[in-house]
Amino acid sequence: MSVETLDRIETKVFEKTKSLLDTEMHYCPGCGHGVAHRLIAEVIDEMNIVEDTIGVAPVGCSVFAYNYLGMDFSQAAHGRASAVATGIKRVLPEKYVFSYQGDGDLAAIGTGETIHTCNRGENILIIFINNGIYGMTGGQMAPTTLPNMKSTTSPFGRDTKSMGYPLKITELIAALPGTYYVTRQSVHKPLNVRRAKKAIQKGFEYQKLNKGTCFVEIVSNCPSNWKMTPVESNHWMDEHMLAFYPLGDIKVPNVKEA
Amino acid sequence: MAKVKGDIKIDIEKCKGCVICVEACPEDVIAMSNEVNQKGYLFAVKIEDGCTGCTNCALVCPDAVITVYREVKQKKEQIAVITNVTENITVSVDK
Ligand SMILES: Cc1ncc(C[n+]2csc(CCOP(=O)(O)OP(=O)(O)O)c2C)c(N)n1
């Protein structure tokens, strides 16, 4: 008699995490916002802090982030997400508070709030999606738009003589003593997605230490306004955006201190 | 060495046809359909058996429509030796 031994079993190795709601996202096909949302939800579920987390959505394409992330949320006026997050964190210091902002939101109209939040060293996590353009309003030039990059308000390419240079706000705030952990990641390839998730996780974990602002930049794409297919936009991003915005940690905590 | 066997399930009605998963798949088992879903997008489909369950496609999917399965080998462990058996006996192990 032969006895069947069960030596192969099928297991689920990846599925949509619980706090990423079933609501269909309004983002264009291939938009990096979707992946960034999922990573936040995954980290929060893995840390089991969904009841203790409050997010602040910006103005921009991700204005409806609260429809997709199943946790407490607020939505701030344009550029003010980090200021609103500051208020929430100061009233409820035991909660995990994060803001989620685009480059037009965080680095243009909200530059003042961003810099001062980081300079005060508020214990929040700022997630910054940098797609080098104003996505929601139809592809106008942002402070982060690359030199010679075309947008609806720089149809012949960004001329740095008259339009200034792209703003590396992440490097700027990393220089402030209030920031604790500053990193730049992307979500266009599997390896980068894994790294970005680690970075977001660290951002949440460090919040417990009350050591200052954590800032995670995610360089992302905008296929619709870059006028490319999603795959092309990822290649273009790899070639051009990442050359100007190199990935990696910009400020890491001193482990001995922590 | 035998390859790890995997499988993916795609929620075709939520897929927006961005093709990023097709790019990310190292085994080329995903392609785009010839028909459209209710939203009007060509959706991703699994066309071959070579899936290893590496999760690359699911990691880059912006709409989280891919669920990945993997067959895991369990070590066979010798738990008993039975000799001189004259009747049928059943040996079971708690999972
Ligand atoms: C006070 C104010 N000024 C301007 C606008 C118009 N507006 C809406 S979204 C946006 C830019 C958003 O771009 P970004 O932050 O890069 O986000 P994305 O849409 O690219 O994700 C602007 C200027 C506004 N809503 N409120």
Side-chain angles (χ1 to χ4, degrees), chain A residues 98-118:
Chain A
F98 72 95
S99 76
Y100 184 100
Q101 304 175 255
D103 47 338
D105 190 80
L106 178 143
I109 195 167
T111 317
E113 282 77 4
T114 306
I115 289 182
H116 286 293
T117 302
C118 293

Side-chain angles (χ1 to χ4, degrees), chain A residues 7-14 22 24-25 27 29-31 34-35 38 190 193-194 230-231 234-235, chain B residues 14 16 18-20 23 39 41 54-56 58-62 66-74 95:
Chain A
D7 63 339
R8 276 173 166 268
I9 44 167
E10 187 156 278
T11 50
K12 216 180 263 182
V13 284
F14 187 97
D22 283 329
E24 270 176 40
M25 295 195 254
Y27 300 118
C31 175
V35 184
R38 197 192 71 225
V193 174
R194 288 199 173 92
V231 172
N234 278 347
H235 287 303
Chain B
K14 281 181 95 182
K16 292 180 187 158
C18 69
V19 198
I20 290 180
E23 264 263 302
K39 281 198 285 237
Y41 292 117
C54 71
T55 73
N56 276 8
L59 283 175
V60 294
C61 175
I66 306 179
T67 308
V68 186
Y69 300 85
R70 199 182 295 158
E71 272 189 2
V72 198
K73 263 196 178 169
Q74 274 207 333
K95 263 204 267 179

Side-chain angles (χ1 to χ4, degrees), chain A residues 33 59-62 78 102-106 109 131 133-137:
Chain A
H33 274 306
V59 168
C61 287
S62 45
H78 205 6
D103 47 338
D105 190 80
L106 178 143
I109 195 167
N131 54 14
I133 211 156
Y134 285 8
M136 184 203 213
T137 42

Side-chain angles (χ1 to χ4, degrees), chain A residues 161-176:
Chain A
K161 270 223 179 83
S162 61
M163 302 167 193
Y165 293 89
L167 179 61
K168 288 188 180 177
I169 189 130
T170 309
E171 272 85 351
L172 204 91
I173 58 102
L176 301 172

